[in-house]
């Protein structure tokens, strides 16, 4: 096992400097701090405070690490976790990984050093060293929204398979045949699951699914717009664009409007993820809604079960299709 002096040698600093970094001393420069953190990650170094069990000294504090605080889904999720935890007498400390593995491990390290009683993590695509170590040592840990292959960690997530199948059937009944998907990253479990469900449903309903109709984005608005432009520039563009999350759907909406196209007359639009303003748009956006409040509440209950030695199994919640008007609902279909 690596020691603090090994970290110092790898980072090219003194042991005292590593100690100051571990104690968040403000005298250490950001560049030096980053070198020390990088050395700790490379050596899989765990400070003594991290190596001790999270349960040794209860602080009635939970750590929550989310993918992207700018995404309305994660903002709502964080609120649900915080509300449920507060009712149980716990405080929540939130870290924004910004979909970056190194930031995720930074917050894992920081939150454990702050002696949180348990961790709720929406994991990035990679199995990072500190997440792997927390799981291996049996620390109270729950994955939320996403899972990582090969890791025996309880999870609370949403399964959108049935809702995506219902959406594809809905689009077919409305007369659509060419449907495109802007998926999330395929390296993330949510991106893979939604893409697989869409491909399967399209085949079952006899929809025309060309390879160019499936574009992989990054759950960000900019990629939604860029990939929608690519789809709309095809010689035979799709009749429907299905965004794999709310931000990519908003990016698609921006591109459609920038071209002066009408929804749904020129191109229809649907979203995986619902947000409060979708019903108020013109036209209101058809969406697959995730039970975000329940997702957050159930995750807190699972982590509390782990903390109190009760059985803590994984939970899978269903998503629900919410038809509105952006796919041609209400029009006469011949």
């Amino acid at each position: 096992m690596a020691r603090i002096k090994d970290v110092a040698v790898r980072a090219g600093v003194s042991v005292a400097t590593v100690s100051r970094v571990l104690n968040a001393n403000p005298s250490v420069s950001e560049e030096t701090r980053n070198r020390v953190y990088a050395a700790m990650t490379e050596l899989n170094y765990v400070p003594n405070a991290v190596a001790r069990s999270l349960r040794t000294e209860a602080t009635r504090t939970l750590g929550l690490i989310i993918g992207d605080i700018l995404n309305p889904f994660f903002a709502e999720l964080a609120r649900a976790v915080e509300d449920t935890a507060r009712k149980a007498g716990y405080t929540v400390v939130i870290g924004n990984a910004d979909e970056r593995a190194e930031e995720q491990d930074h917050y894992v390290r920081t939150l454990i050093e702050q002696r949180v009683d348990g961790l709720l993590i929406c994991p990035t695509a990679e199995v990072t060293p500190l997440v792997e170590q927390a799981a291996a040592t049996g620390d109270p840990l729950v994955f939320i929204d996403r899972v990582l292959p090969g890791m025996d960690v309880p999870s609370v997530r949403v399964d959108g398979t049935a809702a995506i199948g219902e959406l594809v059937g809905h689009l077919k009944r409305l007369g659509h045949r060419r449907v495109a998907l802007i998926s999330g990253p395929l390296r993330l479990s949510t991106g893979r699951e939604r893409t697989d469900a869409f491909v399967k449903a399209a085949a079952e309903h006899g929809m025309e699914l060309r390879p160019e109709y499936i574009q992989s984005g990054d759950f960000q608005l900019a990629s939604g717009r860029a990939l929608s432009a690519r789809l709309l520039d095809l010689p035979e563009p799709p009749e429907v664009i299905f965004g794999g999350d709310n931000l990519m759907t908003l990016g698609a909406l921006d591109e459609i409007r920038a071209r002066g196209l009408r929804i749904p007359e020129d191109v229809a639009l649907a979203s995986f993820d619902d947000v409060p303003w979708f019903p108020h748009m013109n036209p209101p956006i058809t969406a697959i809604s995730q039970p975000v409040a329940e997702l957050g509440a159930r995750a807190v209950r699972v982590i509390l079960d782990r903390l109190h030695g009760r059985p803590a199994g994984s939970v899978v919640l269903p998503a629900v299709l919410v038809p509105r008007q952006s796919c041609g609902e209400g029009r006469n279909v011949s």
Side-chain angles (χ1 to χ4, degrees):
M1 179 179 292
R3 296 166 297 176
I4 191 170
K5 66 180 183 180
D6 299 320
V7 174
V9 171
R10 178 66 63 92
V13 299
S14 67
V15 170
T17 297
V18 176
S19 180
R20 283 194 288 270
V21 170
L22 292 174
N23 289 296
N25 189 308
S27 67
V28 182
S29 71
E30 187 66 22
E31 188 271 336
T32 299
R33 193 181 308 276
N34 289 338
R35 288 206 334 263
V36 170
Y37 279 139
M40 286 192 287
T41 299
E42 291 168 9
L43 296 172
N44 201 19
Y45 170 75
V46 183
N48 288 338
V50 179
R52 290 192 297 265
S53 169
L54 289 172
R55 290 165 288 189
T56 303
E57 300 172 3
T59 60
R60 300 198 69 82
T61 303
L62 301 176
L64 170 65
I65 302 175
I66 57 176
D68 180 6
I69 195 64
L70 294 179
N71 188 320
F73 168 83
F74 288 116
E76 186 179 354
L77 179 64
R79 176 62 182 269
V81 167
E82 188 176 44
D83 286 349
T84 306
R86 184 169 54 247
K87 291 175 183 176
Y90 284 78
T91 298
V92 177
V93 181
I94 301 173
N96 175 33
D98 201 26
E99 302 292 9
R100 293 158 56 195
E102 65 274 16
E103 284 298 306
Q104 175 178 274
D105 260 9
H106 164 73
Y107 279 113
V108 171
R109 179 184 294 109
T110 300
L111 290 169
I112 294 179
E113 288 176 352
Q114 294 299 315
R115 312 298 295 151
V116 297
D117 294 337
L119 281 172
L120 297 163
I121 302 178
C122 177
T124 58
E126 299 101 301
V127 178
T128 55
L130 288 187
V131 171
E132 185 174 35
Q133 186 164 42
T137 56
D139 287 332
L141 171 65
V142 171
F143 288 156
I144 184 168
D145 182 51
R146 303 168 182 167
V147 295
L148 289 172
M151 297 199 70
D152 185 19
V153 174
S155 63
V156 181
R157 64 183 185 88
V158 174
D159 185 356
T161 302
I164 290 173
E166 189 178 351
L167 171 66
V168 173
H170 174 70
L171 295 173
K172 183 177 181 179
R173 288 190 296 273
L174 291 171
H176 300 296
R177 294 295 178 271
R178 301 191 310 277
V179 181
L181 169 68
I182 300 174
S183 79
L186 298 181
R187 66 183 188 277
L188 291 177
S189 62
T190 45
R192 292 192 303 273
E193 289 166 3
R194 293 170 198 176
T195 301
D196 291 345
F198 177 77
V199 171
K200 180 180 178 182
E204 290 176 348
H205 288 281
M207 305 289 274
E208 184 177 356
L209 189 58
R210 305 176 186 181
E212 62 268 27
Y213 283 176
I214 298 180
Q215 299 287 336
S216 180
D218 60 5
F219 285 146
Q220 300 292 321
L221 188 147
S223 74
R225 180 161 187 176
L227 295 175
S228 293
R230 185 181 301 174
L231 290 167
L232 294 171
D233 285 339
L234 291 172
E236 191 168 17
E239 299 165 319
V240 185
I241 294 177
F242 174 33
D245 83 329
N246 57 71
L247 289 181
M248 293 192 299
T249 301
L250 288 173
L253 179 65
D254 283 348
E255 182 62 24
I256 291 167
R257 287 182 169 171
R259 292 173 180 242
L261 300 175
R262 300 165 300 163
I263 300 172
E265 290 84 0
D266 298 317
V267 60
L269 182 65
S271 173
F272 193 104
D273 276 346
D274 204 2
V275 289
W277 54 86
F278 275 178
H280 307 291
M281 301 187 75
N282 184 22
I285 304 297
T286 291
I288 290 175
S289 177
Q290 301 194 76
V292 186
E294 186 179 0
L295 182 69
R298 294 288 288 271
V300 172
R301 289 200 284 272
V302 171
I303 195 72
L304 293 182
D305 283 342
R306 293 206 67 186
L307 286 171
H308 293 99
R310 298 188 292 262
S314 295
V315 177
V316 180
L317 304 171
V320 178
L321 174 64
V322 183
R324 295 194 177 102
Q325 298 175 28
S326 62
C327 293
E329 295 88 343
R331 296 188 305 177
N332 291 324
V333 178
S334 57

